[in-house]
Amino acid sequence: MSRKTLVLALLFLLVSVLLVAQQPVERIDLNVIHKLKTAELGGGGGGFGGGRGAPRPVPIMETMYNLTDHYGPRLTNSPQFRAAGEWAVGQLKEWGLSNVHLEKWSTVPPPPAPGETTGGRAPRAAIPSWEMTGYEGAMVSPTYMPIIGYPQAWCGSTDGKVTGDAIMIANPATMADMDKLHGTLKGKIVLLGTGPLDLDFPDSALGARYTDTELKELVPEVLPTGGAGRGGFGRGGRGGPTLSDEEQRAFTARLATFWKEEGALVIVSSNATTRGSSGVVSASNGSPRNGDPTKNVPSVSVTAENFNRVARLLAHSVPVKLSFNIQTKFDMAQTDSFNVIAEIPGTSKANELVMVGGHFDSWHMGTGATDNGAGSAIAMEVMRILKASDLKMDRTVRMALWGGEEEGLLGSAAYVKEHFADPATMKTTSEHDGFAGYFNIDNGTGRIRGVYLQGNEMMRPIFEQWFAAIKDLTPGILTIRNTGGTDHQSFDAVGLPGFQFIQDPMDYDSRTHHTNMDTYERIQQADMEQMAIIEAFFVYQAATRPEKLPRKDLPAARGAGGRGGAGN
């Protein structure tokens, strides 16, 4: 080795040592980790999910049962959502948590600021109470076939059982498309499409965990690029519509009026995504909430296989009659929603705050298990095991289960605006000053494999040390990438450190996300236990370290026209 090479090598080593020396050493109490594992898994040493012996009570799975089978689904402001919220309050109080309550927020959009105009765009609509109370669907001619389907959220009811000729039309995309259909839909049951859906043969596993190679591929980016996840399905990786949100709302509202004016009996849709075959129904809100949603034409999403049989018959000029009985119920007076709040008071820094949460609402076809009963159950479990372990934490730990996430992160955005800062002005509060960090889970049942740094490089040495202490639970992959579409974004939007964990994809994007298959059966107990321990440990660390978690620079004010992210 030449002298020059040796000198350069020594300089590089010296710089590396100095950089390491500058990084603060995180205080980690391994006994705390043991206490959290014991509180979650019990003292029997059976490992995640228990053994073959006598069954033990599993609080986190009882929480999942209540959120799904007992009270689900939890469409925002539905009777089921409200009942689940009341149950959660009672359970959290039973566990001895403090300041347990439902914190209300209004789904009614605020009036325009002085001088602000909408430019003719439709404002975001309020969210009324809505539930489906009955559904029957069938093809009755040329032969009988039951139709597997679900009414779309906020659609209206049929006048009892209605029967009509099926007609297939391309979904109108412009006002001119509507004009062409004038006078052709009266008394018809309308299938939206251009023919049978093209369904790929399901020749790969529906669910999978990240491989070591895939995890490593998340790491090397120097700058965040927005997308993340497996196979292009990560949060923030999907393309957006051509129209703006406001323009799309306006067009959807006009289309709803068009169906009513033209006398269509029922609107039927399906899809051919990876989640839209093999008997899976994938849908969300097929009806607008603008104006008077009680007047919306009944609409239903059906399985691709049932849809395709009708489409093929129509393509062969065979007349088809369909019959539906769709019953839904509105309560237009119920437009206030809520977030579920609970706390463990801090000791020496009680005015400073660490938060943990996930969104409480769901869509209405399954029971909202992976999206996001899992994240809600884990947040509740984090509070339970921290309290049961009697761990003293300097900062107050607050749990929040958010409403309205699926409609655009509305519950967390309202909470952040009320407590921390208004993104429009970026004027901060004293609570903003005392905020230490927020941790979120909203990617299904897959176990934690790491965390998205959300563009905050200052967190890397901190999280590296935290993950090093729990290497038996997770590899602790760190990626600088952002991940979007869930409630940590509301905190990040006002300069607060908010983080979403990297999770195994499982069958979230291939089967459960926004489908009728999002049920208790898709939840993996062992993964839930692992996530609860890790998230509780992260919350504990954030609540006891001498300094609050480092922050990125405060973002610029959005102005009155700024919008939040879309929920998932």
Side-chain angles (χ1 to χ4, degrees), residues 314-547:
L314 293 175
H316 285 78
S317 300
V318 176
V320 176
K321 286 189 181 293
L322 302 178
S323 177
F324 288 97
N325 186 354
I326 298 170
Q327 299 303 310
T328 66
K329 184 178 180 181
F330 284 89
D331 183 349
M332 298 302 294
Q334 293 276 17
T335 56
D336 279 349
S337 191
F338 60 78
N339 302 315
V340 184
I341 307 296
E343 289 182 349
I344 299 174
T347 55
S348 61
K349 301 177 181 178
N351 61 324
E352 295 185 5
L353 186 64
V354 176
M355 291 191 68
V356 60
H359 74 86
F360 196 64
D361 64 312
S362 75
W363 288 112
H364 60 291
M365 291 156 294
T367 54
T370 65
D371 188 25
N372 184 34
S376 294
I378 290 163
M380 291 178 66
E381 186 74 353
V382 165
M383 301 299 281
R384 186 189 73 83
I385 63 177
L386 286 171
K387 181 70 175 178
S389 300
D390 196 27
L391 297 173
K392 306 304 179 187
M393 293 174 284
D394 301 323
R395 298 181 177 91
T396 295
V397 173
R398 182 180 298 163
M399 182 209 75
L401 307 180
W402 312 111
E405 189 268 0
E406 297 292 0
E407 291 73 43
L409 316 184
L410 301 182
S412 59
Y415 188 88
V416 165
K417 181 178 178 180
E418 174 71 20
H419 287 268
F420 304 119
D422 182 350
T425 63
M426 213 53 72
K427 182 178 180 181
T428 63
T429 68
S430 60
E431 288 182 275
H432 187 283
D433 297 338
F435 190 85
Y438 172 73
F439 300 98
N440 192 82
I441 285 178
D442 183 19
N443 282 158
T445 188
R447 65 181 54 198
I448 289 172
R449 308 301 297 277
V451 73
Y452 297 100
L453 294 177
Q454 207 68 25
N456 187 345
E457 283 282 9
M458 295 173 288
M459 288 302 305
R460 186 182 297 276
I462 297 170
F463 283 159
E464 282 177 344
Q465 293 177 68
W466 293 7
F467 274 127
I470 52 173
K471 281 294 184 184
D472 58 325
L473 298 179
T474 178
I477 295 296
L478 300 178
T479 175
I480 193 61
R481 299 184 189 191
N482 302 335
T483 184
T486 192
D487 293 291
H488 71 288
Q489 286 185 293
S490 296
F491 294 84
D492 190 66
V494 295
L496 296 175
F499 304 98
Q500 165 75 27
F501 290 97
I502 299 170
Q503 296 174 248
D504 276 331
M506 311 302 281
D507 58 352
Y508 187 73
D509 281 301
S510 61
R511 177 163 55 181
T512 68
H513 182 236
H514 294 187
T515 78
N516 59 326
M517 295 295 171
D518 192 8
T519 63
Y520 180 96
E521 286 74 17
R522 303 278 72 82
I523 297 298
Q524 302 300 310
Q525 178 185 327
D527 290 17
M528 295 286 286
E529 292 170 328
Q530 183 252 24
M531 286 190 281
I533 294 168
I534 292 173
E535 192 167 46
F537 171 62
F538 270 52
V539 168
Y540 176 84
Q541 287 297 115
T544 56
R545 70 190 306 269
E547 303 296 329

Side-chain angles (χ1 to χ4, degrees), residues 96-109:
L97 297 170
S98 302
N99 193 26
V100 181
H101 65 282
L102 300 179
E103 187 162 329
K104 289 186 178 181
W105 56 275
S106 176
T107 71
V108 178

Side-chain angles (χ1 to χ4, degrees), residues 16 19 36 84 90 194 313 316 393 411 430 457 461:
S16 299
L19 287 174
L36 293 173
T194 56
L313 287 166
H316 285 78
M393 293 174 284
S430 60
E457 283 282 9

Side-chain angles (χ1 to χ4, degrees), residues 114-421:
E116 182 185 3
T117 62
T118 63
R121 299 172 300 183
R124 174 174 60 82
I127 305 175
S129 177
W130 178 94
E131 63 177 322
M132 54 180 177
T133 59
Y135 169 78
E136 300 173 60
M139 180 174 73
V140 295
S141 176
T143 186
Y144 181 83
M145 175 187 71
I147 292 179
I148 301 170
Y150 290 79
Q152 300 269 26
W154 303 295
C155 80
S157 300
T158 59
D159 185 12
K161 182 181 287 188
V162 297
T163 301
D165 293 330
I167 181 174
M168 175 161 283
I169 64 170
N171 196 10
T174 65
M175 300 297 184
D177 293 337
M178 295 186 211
D179 292 339
K180 293 175 185 176
L181 295 169
H182 180 65
T184 65
L185 306 180
K186 187 173 179 59
K188 299 292 195 299
I189 293 179
V190 178
L191 276 70
L192 295 180
T194 56
L197 302 167
D198 186 14
L199 304 183
D200 293 332
F201 184 77
D203 59 353
S204 58
L206 283 174
R209 296 189 184 276
Y210 275 124
T211 65
D212 291 343
T213 299
E214 288 170 328
L215 285 172
K216 289 177 182 177
E217 288 173 352
L218 289 174
V219 174
E221 291 190 58
V222 177
L223 295 173
T225 59
R230 181 187 181 93
F233 288 110
R235 301 298 177 91
R238 300 184 181 96
T242 303
L243 300 177
S244 70
D245 290 348
E246 292 87 352
E247 291 168 336
Q248 187 62 55
R249 282 195 289 266
F251 181 78
T252 302
R254 175 66 190 95
L255 188 57
T257 303
F258 173 77
W259 300 133
K260 191 77 173 179
E261 291 172 345
E262 293 298 315
L265 293 178
V266 178
I267 307 300
V268 181
S269 60
S270 190
N271 64 70
T273 66
T274 53
R275 297 188 298 274
S277 60
S278 302
V280 175
V281 179
S282 177
S284 52
N285 55 322
S287 297
R289 304 189 306 273
N290 304 78
D292 184 358
T294 64
K295 297 187 181 334
N296 284 338
V297 170
S299 61
V300 59
S301 180
V302 305
T303 66
E305 292 83 358
N306 288 170
F307 183 93
N308 278 359
R309 183 179 181 189
V310 175
R312 283 189 293 270
L313 287 166
L314 293 175
H316 285 78
S317 300
V318 176
V320 176
K321 286 189 181 293
L322 302 178
S323 177
F324 288 97
N325 186 354
I326 298 170
Q327 299 303 310
T328 66
K329 184 178 180 181
F330 284 89
D331 183 349
M332 298 302 294
Q334 293 276 17
T335 56
D336 279 349
S337 191
F338 60 78
N339 302 315
V340 184
I341 307 296
E343 289 182 349
I344 299 174
T347 55
S348 61
K349 301 177 181 178
N351 61 324
E352 295 185 5
L353 186 64
V354 176
M355 291 191 68
V356 60
H359 74 86
F360 196 64
D361 64 312
S362 75
W363 288 112
H364 60 291
M365 291 156 294
T367 54
T370 65
D371 188 25
N372 184 34
S376 294
I378 290 163
M380 291 178 66
E381 186 74 353
V382 165
M383 301 299 281
R384 186 189 73 83
I385 63 177
L386 286 171
K387 181 70 175 178
S389 300
D390 196 27
L391 297 173
K392 306 304 179 187
M393 293 174 284
D394 301 323
R395 298 181 177 91
T396 295
V397 173
R398 182 180 298 163
M399 182 209 75
L401 307 180
W402 312 111
E405 189 268 0
E406 297 292 0
E407 291 73 43
L409 316 184
L410 301 182
S412 59
Y415 188 88
V416 165
K417 181 178 178 180
E418 174 71 20
H419 287 268
F420 304 119

